[in-house]
Amino acid sequence: MKKTLLISATLILSAFTAFSQQELTPVKIDSLVTVSLPSAYQKSDTLGQQVYSSNSTLGYVVVLRTPNAKNTKPLQKERDLDKVLKDKVKSIQAESSYASAQFVRDTTIGKLKAKTFTLQTDNGQGDIQLRNIVLLYTNAATYIFEYVYPNARKEVVAGEYKSFVNSIRLSPELQRNDQYISNAKGISPVVITSILVIAALGLVVFLIIYIQKKRRLAYE
């Protein structure tokens, strides 16, 4: 048992060291977003969508920048951003057969809100592939940062993935209003639920008092 743990720890340390020793290059995705990639990365541009890709020591990294449609209206509130991110996670999941989005959660990059999750895909023959994804939306473009690896390596990729994600840098020019305009939170679902519960209790009390009063009048 101790030997197995020692081997696992050695693999993780070796993986992290190997990635750290690779010649990483800070790549400007545009004037606002930068990420470090292995120097042998490739870039393609299809109809305005920019794709950066490269092999890493244990997996494969992909960065996509997709400009939003010119007629895209600025989002008004944070809940609008939440809906857009939720819909984009569903859209990414729908691109692959036998895919499931796991560990979906909010995160922040600089001052912006983002979504991170793991997409698990299966070719139907038990060949499972995992994609750790960070999804960032701005009024101008959508950015997707992917770290792809086979299921067999999921125990040893943490260091390499962390190095990749932590290298994402945003320009100070990117502020909250580059995602949504209003800072008003609106009424949260918790508050709405509380109001409905109080209203329901009030109605019950009113009905009890009304019925009791009606009964007293009937006896008089």
Side-chain angles (χ1 to χ4, degrees):
M1 180 66 178
K2 291 182 179 179
K3 185 176 181 181
T4 303
L5 290 174
L6 179 60
I7 293 174
S8 299
T10 302
L11 285 172
I12 295 172
L13 180 60
S14 298
F16 182 78
T17 303
F19 188 74
S20 301
Q21 289 177 348
Q22 283 193 63
E23 186 180 347
L24 299 180
T25 303
V27 178
K28 295 188 70 172
I29 306 304
D30 56 24
S31 62
L32 301 172
V33 178
T34 301
V35 65
S36 293
L37 299 173
S39 57
Y41 72 88
Q42 297 180 333
K43 177 186 176 182
S44 63
D45 192 322
T46 305
L47 299 177
Q49 183 189 64
Q50 299 173 11
V51 181
Y52 299 78
S53 58
S54 177
N55 287 312
S56 64
T57 302
L58 296 171
Y60 189 72
V61 293
V62 182
V63 179
L64 298 93
R65 181 193 185 275
T66 306
N68 297 330
K70 291 184 179 179
N71 60 351
T72 300
K73 296 181 179 179
L75 302 179
Q76 295 298 313
K77 299 180 180 180
E78 185 175 3
R79 65 186 180 191
D80 298 325
L81 173 63
D82 291 337
K83 184 179 186 307
V84 167
L85 293 175
K86 183 177 180 180
D87 289 343
K88 287 187 177 294
V89 170
K90 289 182 178 179
S91 177
I92 293 172
Q93 178 177 285
E95 292 174 0
S96 305
S97 301
Y98 306 105
S100 63
Q102 303 175 352
F103 315 115
V104 182
R105 60 195 183 279
D106 293 331
T107 188
T108 56
I109 303 177
K111 295 184 178 180
L112 302 191
K113 188 173 184 178
K115 210 78 166 176
T116 180
F117 62 99
T118 297
L119 187 73
Q120 178 176 303
T121 59
D122 189 333
N123 64 0
Q125 299 178 351
D127 184 12
I128 297 175
Q129 186 180 69
L130 301 171
R131 294 160 59 189
N132 290 350
I133 297 175
V134 176
L135 173 63
L136 176 67
Y137 176 89
T138 69
N139 291 327
T142 300
Y143 304 84
I144 299 177
F145 305 87
E146 297 189 18
Y147 179 82
V148 187
Y149 55 98
N151 185 55
R153 295 181 184 171
K154 67 180 181 180
E155 301 298 334
V156 297
V157 299
E160 185 168 289
Y161 171 64
K162 185 176 180 180
S163 295
F164 169 57
V165 171
N166 287 348
S167 73
I168 301 172
R169 295 288 183 269
L170 304 185
S171 165
E173 294 180 25
L174 277 175
Q175 299 291 323
R176 177 202 40 87
N177 56 11
D178 288 294
Q179 292 191 303
Y180 57 93
I181 297 173
S182 174
N183 198 32
K185 296 291 185 179
I187 301 177
S188 71
V190 175
V191 173
I192 292 175
T193 301
S194 299
I195 292 173
L196 291 175
V197 169
I198 293 172
L201 290 173
L203 179 60
V204 170
V205 171
F206 172 79
L207 289 174
I208 291 173
I209 294 173
Y210 175 78
I211 292 172
Q212 288 177 344
K213 184 176 180 180
K214 196 171 183 180
R215 286 178 178 175
R216 284 199 303 268
L217 292 173
Y219 286 119
E220 291 178 355

